[in-house]
């Protein structure tokens, strides 16, 4: 039987810590940390995510707002909004909610964000800082995964880690963080041969695929730490991860559930990143 990591509880603890430190920041500098979100279009899932981020920011004692923009916004208008936020000294964190409406090219928008305010950690400068071990803002979900491993007392240095998924927002940054923590890391993807065999070698297995219950219990090394980033719907429409929890949990040493594992950590780490950005900007001013 595995130790089940309670991501909700860890996220609540992180958010409480952030709120406490944000209050100290406000007292010290006479202004709260500021998080600003640009939400363009009417994607219903994005609206829900942004509302959660807004609520979390309020609870953390941050200033800021959400600019809700029409799906008809042009590339130039959106870029002008980012430029305004870059220039505003009260703004510590800028988040452009993805996906952007059809017709908007996401890359130049993300690259326009001041790296000092890049709380999603998607800017090429943030990515370069992560891979070269320099200070910078780290993407929220990967950072949340590392915190969960830490909270569960999982030893990382010297261990064999397999990350399934090579996206820029999840798979690659998790691999970079595990490498920085001295794991021996393999990144698997859709072309990987004998994925089950590779997974069986992993002391730490991170699933960031987007395929419901793909990873079975007999793919898992007994006692391994299993972090399930996936957010999928099963045949009954129920939220589930990439890992088949029922067969994996008896084999793993520690495991995250879905829901209630990695999911809540993403917003908690966004708050943490905003506070970190605020401190860095204040120190640089
Ligand atoms: P992407 O679709 O961008 O990437 C998926 C990765 O999985 C790709 O690298 C792909 O390989 C790989 N893959 C797909 N099929 C297979 C397969 N059969 N075998 C091996 N590898 C495969 O997804 P994201 O990285 O954005 O997200 C991954 C999951 O994490 C999703 O379920 C998403 O909803 C969830 N997520 C959860 C978050 C949270 O807060 N909990 C936040 C962000 C994402 P290839 O590159 O070869 O195509």
């Amino acid at each position: 039987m595995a130790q089940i990591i309670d991501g909700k509880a860890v996220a609540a603890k992180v958010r409480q810590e952030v709120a406490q430190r944000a209050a100290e920041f406000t007292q010290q500098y006479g202004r709260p940390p500021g998080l600003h979100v640009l939400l363009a279009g009417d994607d219903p899932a994005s609206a829900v995510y942004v509302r959660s981020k807004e609520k979390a920011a309020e609870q953390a004692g941050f200033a800021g707002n959400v600019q809700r923009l029409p799906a008809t916004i042009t590339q130039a208008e959106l870029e002008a909004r980012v430029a305004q936020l870059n220039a505003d000294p009260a703004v510590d964190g800028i988040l452009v909610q993805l996906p952007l409406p059809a017709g908007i090219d996401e890359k130049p928008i993300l690259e326009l964000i001041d790296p000092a305010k890049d709380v999603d950690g998607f800017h090429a400068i943030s990515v370069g800082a992560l891979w070269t071990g320099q200070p910078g803002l780290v993407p929220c979900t990967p950072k949340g995964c590392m915190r969960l491993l830490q909270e569960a007392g999982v030893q990382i240095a010297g261990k064999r880690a397999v990350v399934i998924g090579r996206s820029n927002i999840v798979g690659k940054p998790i691999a970079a963080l595990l490498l920085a923590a001295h794991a021996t890391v393999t990144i698997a993807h859709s072309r990987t041969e004998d994925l089950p065999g590779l997974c069986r070698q992993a002391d730490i297995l991170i699933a960031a695929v987007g395929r419901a219950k793909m990873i079975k219990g007999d793919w898992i090394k007994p006692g391994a730490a299993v972090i399930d980033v996936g957010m999928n719907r099963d045949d009954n429409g129920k939220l589930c991860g990439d890992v088949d929890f029922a067969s994996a949990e008896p084999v793993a040493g520690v495991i995250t559930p879905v829901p209630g594992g990695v999911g809540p950590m993403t917003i908690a780490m966004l708050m943490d990143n905003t506070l970190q950005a605020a401190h860095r900007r204040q120190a640089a001013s």
Side-chain angles (χ1 to χ4, degrees):
M1 295 287 276
Q3 173 197 343
I4 297 170
I5 309 177
D6 184 348
K8 256 189 173 164
V10 178
K13 184 168 121 181
V14 170
R15 284 171 60 175
Q16 214 163 28
E17 285 165 9
V18 169
Q20 167 83 37
R21 289 189 290 128
E24 288 162 14
F25 178 96
T26 305
Q27 199 163 37
Q28 190 175 355
Y29 298 111
R31 68 166 189 97
L35 174 64
H36 291 249
V37 180
L38 296 176
L39 171 63
D42 36 30
D43 179 61
S46 293
V48 173
Y49 290 143
V50 166
R51 182 66 202 123
S52 305
K53 290 169 186 177
E54 204 175 13
K55 253 175 72 182
E58 276 164 26
Q59 283 168 3
F62 294 173
N65 65 26
V66 177
Q67 296 184 30
R68 292 182 166 81
L69 307 163
T72 51
I73 191 161
T74 64
Q75 182 89 23
E77 280 167 342
L78 198 50
E79 289 183 7
R81 300 275 177 162
V82 173
Q84 269 170 12
L85 294 175
N86 279 345
D88 185 340
V91 175
D92 296 298
I94 302 171
L95 189 144
V96 177
Q97 183 65 38
L98 303 177
L100 290 168
I104 302 277
D105 188 359
E106 172 183 305
K107 209 163 165 246
I109 304 276
L110 296 183
E111 291 304 309
L112 197 65
I113 296 173
D114 178 350
K117 302 185 178 187
D118 177 33
V119 284
D120 254 343
F122 296 159
H123 193 289
I125 288 186
S126 306
V127 176
L130 174 60
W131 283 97
T132 55
Q134 293 176 67
L137 292 160
V138 172
C140 303
T141 302
K143 193 171 167 178
C145 293
M146 296 303 285
R147 179 70 187 252
L148 291 178
L149 287 170
Q150 185 197 331
E151 290 282 334
V154 174
Q155 193 197 325
I156 299 175
K159 297 295 175 190
R160 178 114 206 225
V162 171
V163 179
I164 320 173
R166 56 176 165 180
S167 73
N168 289 331
I169 59 167
V170 191
K172 282 184 203 160
I174 290 180
L177 289 168
L178 287 165
L179 188 61
H182 312 296
T184 301
V185 183
T186 304
I187 306 177
H189 46 76
S190 65
R191 310 282 184 93
T192 297
E193 290 178 0
D194 186 20
L195 185 61
L198 179 68
C199 290
R200 273 182 217 115
Q201 297 172 28
D203 303 304
I204 299 166
L205 182 64
I206 314 279
V209 186
R211 288 182 185 257
K213 302 183 186 180
M214 184 183 91
I215 293 131
K216 308 296 179 196
D218 64 359
W219 297 24
I220 290 166
K221 180 175 174 177
V226 179
I227 303 288
D228 190 352
V229 185
M231 287 205 304
N232 316 293
R233 297 275 163 196
D234 68 12
D235 294 340
N236 304 317
K238 239 181 97 187
L239 190 63
C240 72
D242 293 339
V243 176
D244 178 30
F245 189 85
S247 66
E249 188 270 334
V251 188
V254 300
I255 190 165
T256 58
V258 178
V262 174
M265 293 302 291
T266 300
I267 289 184
M269 288 303 163
L270 175 66
M271 300 304 122
D272 193 57
N273 273 358
T274 303
L275 183 60
Q276 188 185 330
H279 271 292
R280 286 242 175 87
R281 293 187 58 255
Q282 203 64 51
S285 69

